[in-house]
Amino acid sequence: MGLDWWVSSLFLLSFVMLDIGAVELDQNLQTERISGSAGDVLEDDPVGRLKVFVYELPSKYNKKILQKDPRCLTHMFAAEIFMHRFLLSSPVRTLNPEEADWFYTPVYTTCDLTPNGLPLPFKSPRMMRSAIQLISSNWPYWNRTEGADHFFIVPHDFGACFHYQEEKAIERGILHLLKRATLVQTFGQRNHVCLKDGSIVIPPYAPPQKMQAHLIPPDTPRSIFVYFRGLFYDVGNDPEGGYYARGARASVWENFKDNPLFDISTDHPTTYYEDMQRAVFCLCPLGWAPWSPRLVEGVIFGCIPVIIADDIVLPFADAIPWEDIGVFVDEKDVPNLDRILTSIPPEDILRKQRLLANPSMKQAMLFPQPAQPGDAFHQILNGLARKLPHDKSTYLKPGEKILNWTAGPVADLKPW
Amino acid sequence: MLIHEAIQQISTAQPGPAPPTFPILSITVRGTLLKAPCEPCGQGNLVLGFRFSRLVFFLLFSNPTSSPSSGTTTVLARSHAAVAFSLDPPPPPPVAAMTNHTVGGVVAGGGSRVVVGRHGILIRPWPHPNPDEMMRAHRILERVQREQRAQYGVRNPRSVITVTPTYARTFQALHLTGLIHSLMLVPYDLTWVVVEAGGAVTGETEALLAGSGLRTLHIPFPGGMPVEWAERHRTEARMRLQALRIIREKRLDGIVVFTDDSNMHSMEFFDEIQSVKWVGAVSVGILAHSGNAESAAAQAGQNDAVKENPTMPVQGPACNSSGSLVGWHTFNTLPYAGNTAAYVGDRGTVMPMKLEWAGFVLNSRMLWKDNEEKPDWVHDVDSVIENGEELENPLALLKDASFVEPLGNCGKKVMLWWLRMEARADSKFPSRWMIDPPLEVTVPAKRTPWPDAPPELPAEKMAIINDHEVRRHSKSGRISRSRHSSRGRRKRETRTDTQTIGASQSNAQGK
């Protein structure tokens, strides 16, 4: 009798343990656990799994730049600054470089802003190069691995290609000196020159307090089917259309401007965040680059993101199963967007909403100050921890040199 | 990303080859990231200087470093375009191509299907909504909203039993139609107990109820509805008691709500009352109104300014800071002391009772006979109901009024409104509002709503209308007279005993 009881209880326990994708009734909320290709890793704690050493660079690389322009703290590239601040006070930081697994170089390459607030990438390659020269001459750790155990945050449009225009970015390619380093960037597109293997894709920075301030009661019925606010034609830079967004946004407008299911316009309403919470689908089409803060906003507000960007790589793709959460539409299928969206079975839509309602999903997209467990900072560290231990090719044999310090456009070699 | 506006600054700021100075370059670029002008608008201030400066930039900087295929072809295409559209950037034309041709594309990387460059804008031949898809989308929305209600709304919704005393009179159709529409929207299981005064179930009420599609219990109540307001309140209370008797006999289960036919309820009211355990109280907005125009004007300020007015027209539970019931707000009737209507149709304002029945909701189980779950602070309802005692309001059913639950954020949210608006007791209206046979007499209105009134109107009215209109009226009057000749003839007749159609307060009086 006792054995029976043990067996049955063990059976029951195993059932509970194995039920990974179970629907959890969390108080009143129905959410679903999120596990991507790397497993159920969203809630992992990186503390104790890696050690990061932060180089002390002269303030002209970070503090002075920020002082010159404090707008860098609020634009969508602010992740580089907040990551630095987070690492300085994080338990994963070590002051002993000998025991560090990863080395971080705090250089704010995206903080050179125009009067309109757009970052200029023209000095960034030189700034990065100068920083690397500094760390390679003052510390032995760069030369030990030629950067293979170093990581850099490059949240610019096309990452470390350091240009906002795609053709120019592709031409330049990733800065040669960063060839072996791990890049943490917002840009992600498969088979693209500017996305290196082993890079960690992160969401763009979106102000968490601002979004929390616009939450509406969750029982407000979702009555908008598809929602989008933004440009369809970039009249200033591409008046004829066809370049901007590879024509996809223009196609959305032309096909669905008369469709009452699609609430799309170029307006700038003050109720933008509230409207997203009243919508079932939020379009996240590419612009000049495939990524946009709309993805983050859609996740926070529970609006299923409809991603229209061929071959895009979304943030933390190994931890978050984006195919289950969002809807991916090929750019050539945009004219059939209404058919695609209305033919999704309602159970799938409800499941996606459950996944989006998972608080760890929302937390993973944010950069809150101060940092909270499960947020984007921790996901970056988890990603770095998953790349450990470094394999043998990381450490160079004595005398071996891989990087060519004179590669790249001549203009980049000028000192900064 | 829109960084291209930066080029303007670059071309002027960067040291290096000085760009040729076009007068157009001096145009300042004002476009910001997202505030660029709307898509079909070609605003000159933004675009002009850009396109030329960018063209210059391309020619200067891209030539030495560009790969042969991409750079030059794009530049050439652009320069061509730039020259062609001289000063007026056109609205971007929809390229209705189903082909995806790229002009001078650059492949993003090895093996990628993404090509950088100019793409066609794909538009399907019939870019209009498909009705099947619309229906599917609406079903999806419905399903999503149902799920939302299930998650955030009320768990275990209980059925609602609404009690309405009514009687056939002029304003009954108005009031009952409003109530029917409100009850039709209630998302819960609803049973409607309608108690009708007058001794028998009338066709009037029956006709209205039949069209509602709600589950109704239509109960006759002996005796007519008195004309005096005080008596009427008492009779209504007795009618409600009768309904409670029926509920008790049939052992109906749910939440008993007293919806008077002239009141207005919001949908949130029905959601809020689901949380009642035994007896709940809500705040009722009191719209004390007099049908008389003069006294209404005098009280208009009081009725409108709910917030500023220190004596708020709200009746309901009063809570202390910790949220427990400490007393009751009642409507202050003193300002209306000399001007209170005594009977239906009287001049003066109709006053509510101290605490209206409408502000209370009960759990029907406390009315059941021999119910052990019934709390002991409830009177033995059996004796009250059996003996037919007079009850002013449901509080008399309770031994201890402190057990009443204040609902609606402790009475702070007003979710229903009390209004008593009636015609004179002797006012007549067409039975079931069907005009059959046609009216014998047409009474000329004081102020005719139709512009083609015959010129037989009294002189004082014509003085108001200016000459132009008179001319117009007489012209059209001629035509109208021929069309509605019989009516015009009738209009000229005056009858002493005229039928008032509608309320006495209205302007449709015979002359």
Side-chain angles (χ1 to χ4, degrees):
Chain A
M1 199 52 214
L3 188 62
D4 274 280
W5 187 85
W6 277 112
V7 168
S8 56
S9 67
L10 241 126
F11 188 75
L12 219 65
L13 205 65
S14 62
F15 230 95
V16 170
M17 300 288 239
L18 289 173
D19 217 354
I20 297 175
V23 175
E24 246 181 63
L25 280 135
D26 194 348
Q27 296 167 8
N28 288 336
L29 214 60
Q30 280 203 344
T31 63
E32 211 170 292
R33 286 206 70 79
I34 298 199
S35 58
S37 57
D40 193 351
V41 294
L42 261 191
E43 293 177 15
D44 282 356
D45 189 9
V47 175
R49 294 172 58 206
L50 80 165
K51 292 243 169 273
V52 176
F53 177 72
V54 182
Y55 284 121
E56 285 269 335
L57 290 188
S59 58
K60 74 167 182 169
Y61 290 99
N62 33 55
K63 286 210 195 63
K64 285 229 183 78
I65 298 183
L66 183 59
Q67 271 167 6
K68 251 190 280 181
D69 201 341
R71 284 178 298 174
C72 293
L73 278 175
T74 48
H75 67 178
M76 60 182 94
F77 310 97
E80 60 182 2
I81 301 170
F82 290 122
M83 190 68 186
H84 182 201
R85 293 187 181 179
F86 165 69
L87 283 173
L88 285 177
S89 51
S90 159
V92 305
R93 181 190 184 190
T94 167
L95 298 170
N96 176 8
E98 290 301 327
E99 62 168 13
D101 302 304
W102 288 100
F103 293 82
Y104 171 62
T105 317
V107 51
Y108 301 165
T109 52
T110 332
C111 198
D112 182 14
L113 304 185
T114 67
N116 288 336
L118 306 166
L120 297 172
F122 302 108
K123 302 202 191 119
S124 311
R126 289 158 53 202
M127 198 197 299
M128 185 64 89
R129 207 189 153 75
S130 152
I132 296 177
Q133 273 168 339
L134 198 80
I135 60 176
S136 62
S137 43
N138 291 2
W139 286 274
Y141 307 104
W142 176 272
N143 292 325
R144 201 169 61 169
T145 57
E146 295 231 296
D149 56 355
H150 289 57
F151 70 93
F152 295 85
I153 317 253
V154 280
H156 203 265
D157 287 4
F158 289 97
C161 292
F162 293 124
H163 210 281
Y164 48 79
Q165 226 197 326
E166 195 164 358
E167 293 139 327
K168 307 285 302 156
I170 293 171
E171 259 176 58
R172 295 181 62 97
I174 296 183
L175 191 69
H176 179 78
L177 289 177
L178 295 173
K179 214 170 75 144
R180 288 169 57 86
T182 294
L183 299 175
V184 179
Q185 58 189 49
T186 48
F187 170 75
Q189 192 175 310
R190 284 190 284 276
N191 301 319
H192 198 280
V193 168
C194 299
L195 179 67
K196 214 160 74 86
D197 252 343
S199 300
I200 297 176
V201 181
I202 60 172
Y205 175 74
Q209 296 89 351
K210 188 166 166 219
M211 292 198 285
Q212 304 290 353
H214 284 271
L215 287 175
I216 60 176
D219 58 349
T220 313
R222 287 190 187 262
S223 45
I224 303 174
F225 193 63
V226 178
Y227 187 76
F228 176 76
R229 289 287 181 275
L231 291 178
F232 300 100
Y233 292 93
D234 182 355
V235 190
N237 300 301
D238 176 31
E240 299 101 9
Y243 277 100
Y244 180 53
R246 292 195 276 270
R249 286 194 186 198
S251 178
V252 167
W253 175 254
E254 298 303 334
N255 282 300
F256 302 112
K257 59 187 175 196
D258 297 325
N259 194 321
L261 294 175
F262 283 67
D263 185 355
I264 56 179
S265 88
T266 51
D267 271 351
H268 253 272
T270 47
T271 54
Y272 176 61
Y273 288 148
E274 287 86 345
D275 290 343
M276 274 189 136
Q277 294 169 73
R278 286 177 36 232
V280 175
F281 290 106
C282 288
L283 295 184
C284 303
L286 70 162
W288 287 108
W291 58 270
S292 105
R294 282 188 187 86
L295 181 72
V296 177
E297 289 160 359
V299 169
I300 301 296
F301 296 126
C303 182
I304 302 174
V306 179
I307 294 145
I308 308 172
D310 287 346
D311 283 347
I312 188 174
V313 175
L314 290 177
F316 308 128
D318 50 352
I320 300 175
W322 286 105
E323 303 75 30
D324 294 340
I325 293 173
V327 179
F328 288 82
V329 178
D330 285 344
E331 287 164 31
K332 64 175 176 21
D333 285 333
V334 165
N336 301 322
L337 193 59
D338 54 352
R339 188 172 49 78
I340 295 172
L341 292 180
T342 53
S343 46
I344 302 178
E347 305 79 44
D348 280 358
I349 293 180
L350 291 178
R351 175 159 185 258
K352 288 180 202 287
Q353 291 190 323
R354 274 200 298 273
L355 285 166
L356 285 171
N358 192 333
S360 49
M361 174 77 198
K362 296 191 205 277
Q363 191 75 311
M365 291 284 113
L366 291 175
F367 292 94
Q369 259 76 48
Q372 285 159 19
D375 63 11
F377 298 118
H378 290 85
Q379 302 303 329
I380 296 174
L381 292 178
N382 282 335
L384 290 169
R386 284 196 285 276
K387 296 181 84 175
L388 292 176
H390 294 297
D391 64 50
K392 287 201 295 282
S393 65
T394 318
Y395 297 99
L396 299 178
K397 299 190 232 336
E400 188 184 350
K401 279 220 166 291
I402 300 183
L403 291 181
N404 175 3
W405 284 76
T406 53
V410 177
D412 286 354
L413 299 176
K414 284 199 274 208
W416 180 75
Chain B
M1 298 312 304
L2 281 183
I3 328 264
H4 292 58
E5 290 117 271
I7 301 175
Q8 172 72 344
Q9 277 80 357
I10 296 306
S11 54
T12 46
Q14 242 186 6
T21 49
F22 285 93
I24 301 158
L25 278 180
S26 61
I27 295 172
T28 47
V29 176
R30 282 194 297 120
T32 60
L33 187 61
L34 285 173
K35 281 208 185 85
C38 60
E39 36 84 24
C41 314
Q43 303 305 331
N45 62 350
L46 177 61
V47 174
L48 268 203
F50 247 140
R51 303 221 27 237
F52 278 113
S53 67
R54 202 152 58 115
L55 167 64
V56 164
F57 183 65
F58 262 117
L59 290 171
L60 287 170
F61 292 108
S62 65
N63 275 337
T65 56
S66 70
S67 55
S69 59
S70 65
T72 43
T73 48
T74 45
V75 170
L76 279 179
R78 293 254 196 89
S79 60
H80 227 4
V83 166
F85 307 114
S86 49
L87 274 177
D88 219 337
V95 178
M98 282 304 282
T99 58
N100 185 3
H101 59 272
T102 55
V103 175
V106 173
V107 178
S112 168
R113 59 193 172 129
V114 173
V115 183
V116 181
R118 184 105 189 273
H119 292 242
I121 301 171
L122 305 173
I123 303 177
R124 65 185 190 205
W126 182 249
H128 293 293
N130 178 339
D132 293 328
E133 284 161 19
M134 296 285 287
M135 280 317 299
R136 265 184 280 156
H138 282 289
R139 265 182 237 123
I140 290 176
L141 282 176
E142 215 183 322
R143 182 73 188 84
V144 165
Q145 288 179 15
R146 203 166 6 121
E147 187 69 25
Q148 275 183 284
R149 263 199 299 275
Q151 281 194 25
Y152 304 105
V154 180
R155 329 221 123 241
N156 311 317
R158 289 181 281 174
S159 51
V160 175
I161 306 164
T162 48
V163 171
T164 304
T166 185
Y167 69 106
R169 77 273 196 199
T170 310
F171 271 46
Q172 185 199 34
L174 173 85
H175 293 319
L176 267 193
T177 308
L179 183 61
I180 286 172
H181 291 167
S182 303
L183 294 181
M184 281 166 76
L185 282 177
V186 173
Y188 309 107
D189 212 19
L190 187 88
T191 308
W192 191 13
V193 181
V194 181
V195 186
E196 181 163 7
V201 165
T202 61
E204 304 287 340
T205 321
E206 198 52 53
L208 285 162
L209 295 183
S212 69
L214 299 165
R215 179 174 39 216
T216 48
L217 284 171
H218 196 171
I219 295 158
F221 186 78
M225 190 66 91
V227 177
E228 263 209 356
W229 277 110
E231 269 302 315
R232 185 175 150 171
H233 288 315
R234 273 197 281 275
T235 312
E236 279 181 7
R238 270 184 244 121
M239 290 162 81
R240 294 189 190 102
L241 260 189
Q242 174 71 3
L244 292 184
R245 213 171 275 135
I246 302 289
I247 292 174
R248 196 169 65 101
E249 276 167 25
K250 292 189 185 277
R251 280 182 95 83
L252 294 179
D253 190 15
I255 303 170
V256 180
V257 187
F258 298 101
T259 52
D260 298 343
D261 55 5
S262 53
N263 290 356
M264 177 54 64
H265 314 84
S266 71
M267 288 301 111
E268 296 159 306
F269 170 64
F270 294 101
D271 291 331
E272 183 67 27
I273 60 174
Q274 290 283 332
S275 55
V276 76
K277 282 197 267 307
W278 287 108
V279 184
V282 289
S283 287
V284 183
I286 302 293
L287 302 172
H289 170 83
S290 158
N292 193 342
E294 292 118 41
S295 47
Q299 287 150 20
Q302 281 172 324
N303 282 339
D304 294 1
V306 177
K307 290 200 182 92
E308 294 102 77
N309 194 352
T311 63
M312 273 191 256
V314 173
Q315 217 184 57
C319 293
N320 61 7
S321 49
S322 62
S324 43
L325 184 71
V326 291
W328 301 93
H329 287 304
T330 57
F331 185 66
N332 184 8
T333 56
L334 286 181
Y336 304 90
N339 198 13
T340 309
Y343 54 88
V344 175
D346 187 16
R347 263 182 27 178
T349 321
V350 184
M351 284 292 113
M353 297 190 288
K354 269 237 276 306
L355 282 176
E356 282 288 327
W357 282 74
F360 293 92
V361 291
L362 315 171
N363 186 343
S364 70
R365 294 192 186 196
M366 77 178 226
L367 302 167
W368 288 356
K369 224 191 269 234
D370 309 321
N371 188 3
E372 291 94 33
E373 297 169 350
K374 197 168 68 178
D376 26 319
W377 40 267
V378 177
H379 270 308
D380 191 16
V381 186
D382 307 344
S383 56
V384 174
I385 292 185
E386 300 286 304
N387 301 345
E389 279 176 29
E390 290 284 338
L391 289 187
E392 205 190 291
N393 54 51
L395 287 181
L397 285 173
L398 312 175
K399 287 186 206 151
D400 188 356
S402 61
F403 283 94
V404 175
E405 305 150 41
L407 301 173
N409 192 9
C410 216
K412 290 199 199 67
K413 195 161 157 69
V414 175
M415 292 176 291
L416 72 153
W417 295 270
W418 175 96
L419 174 72
R420 284 288 179 269
M421 188 125 169
E422 296 293 348
R424 285 161 51 115
D426 58 351
S427 76
K428 295 196 182 32
F429 63 99
S431 162
R432 297 196 208 179
W433 290 97
M434 298 265 285
I435 303 176
D436 178 28
L439 293 170
E440 291 288 322
V441 170
T442 314
V443 174
K446 238 188 191 149
R447 197 164 297 145
T448 175
W450 300 285
D452 54 354
E456 284 86 356
L457 281 182
E460 69 231 29
K461 280 299 150 206
M462 297 307 285
I464 300 169
I465 307 167
N466 59 27
D467 284 349
H468 178 71
E469 276 178 63
V470 167
R471 249 179 275 124
R472 191 158 49 86
H473 284 167
S474 51
K475 239 186 258 168
S476 50
R478 238 178 283 129
I479 305 164
S480 74
R481 220 178 299 151
S482 56
R483 252 193 278 136
H484 311 285
S485 52
S486 52
R487 185 149 64 101
R489 227 180 292 128
R490 281 200 219 119
K491 271 192 178 165
R492 271 182 240 126
E493 293 172 2
T494 53
R495 294 272 205 105
T496 45
D497 51 327
T498 53
Q499 266 193 343
T500 50
I501 302 161
S504 61
Q505 293 94 336
S506 80
N507 293 327
Q509 289 286 348
K511 292 228 177 294

